[in-house]
Amino acid sequence: MRLRYVIAAGAAVLVVATSAVGGSSLRAVATDVAAADSRIEHGRYLVHEVAMCVQCHSPRDRRGVLIEERLLEGGPIPFKNPFQGARWAFEAPHIANLVGYTEEEFVHLLTQGIRRTGDRPAAPMPPFRMTREDAQAIWAYLQSR
């Protein structure tokens, strides 16, 4: 019974919002939301399936399996440096929400391979040369985490 009241109230709000905002404005908002969702989903795809950020930037359990509840929260790099004497990061930073970075700083990192401090990240972080659109999609996804 309660569910019917909730559904009825939601429908009433939608009717009032449509009348107050106007149909075309509501469609524009819906289009913007759909575009943002699409951008976030593209970023998720890049982070999990293409650039594989999730593999280094997530902690693992004792068996080496990613801890699903803590994806992108940083953690020890899961493999040793194969290059004797090369600069190597032993821990990957927490990148969910990207606290401390502006969008422009982050996009610059992924498109130019240079951090906001002016240096390059240590290996195994690759010197990505992503498109601006892909870097912005990753930013949107990480901000949504």
Side-chain angles (χ1 to χ4, degrees):
M1 190 70 147
R2 264 190 180 160
L3 183 58
R4 283 189 213 153
Y5 291 124
V6 170
I7 292 170
V13 168
L14 183 58
V15 168
V16 170
T18 303
S19 299
V21 176
S24 62
S25 295
L26 192 56
R27 278 190 298 279
V29 169
T31 301
D32 290 346
V33 169
D37 287 348
S38 175
R39 184 174 165 197
I40 289 169
E41 179 53 31
H42 181 61
R44 189 214 59 77
Y45 167 72
L46 293 170
V47 166
H48 290 265
E49 309 296 331
V50 178
M52 306 298 285
C53 313
V54 70
Q55 293 299 317
C56 288
H57 289 275
S58 300
R60 295 170 183 271
D61 66 17
R62 289 185 177 159
R63 296 171 310 179
V65 176
L66 292 175
I67 301 170
E68 292 292 322
E69 303 80 37
R70 298 191 50 217
L71 295 181
L72 305 169
E73 291 183 6
I77 299 295
F79 47 90
K80 294 187 186 315
N81 182 354
F83 308 108
Q84 186 81 21
R87 189 169 149 243
W88 189 262
F90 296 101
E91 184 123 351
H94 182 287
I95 59 172
N97 303 101
L98 289 170
V99 174
Y101 266 90
T102 66
E103 181 175 4
E104 198 51 46
E105 289 169 338
F106 186 72
V107 167
H108 186 72
L109 170 64
L110 294 184
T111 60
Q112 305 300 312
I114 300 171
R115 296 188 309 181
R116 63 179 171 212
T117 55
D119 61 337
R120 296 185 185 282
M125 178 70 174
F128 286 114
R129 298 292 190 267
M130 293 184 182
T131 66
R132 184 167 186 78
E133 293 76 22
D134 283 350
Q136 288 172 323
I138 291 174
W139 166 266
Y141 171 66
L142 293 175
Q143 287 295 307
S144 75
R145 302 268 316 150

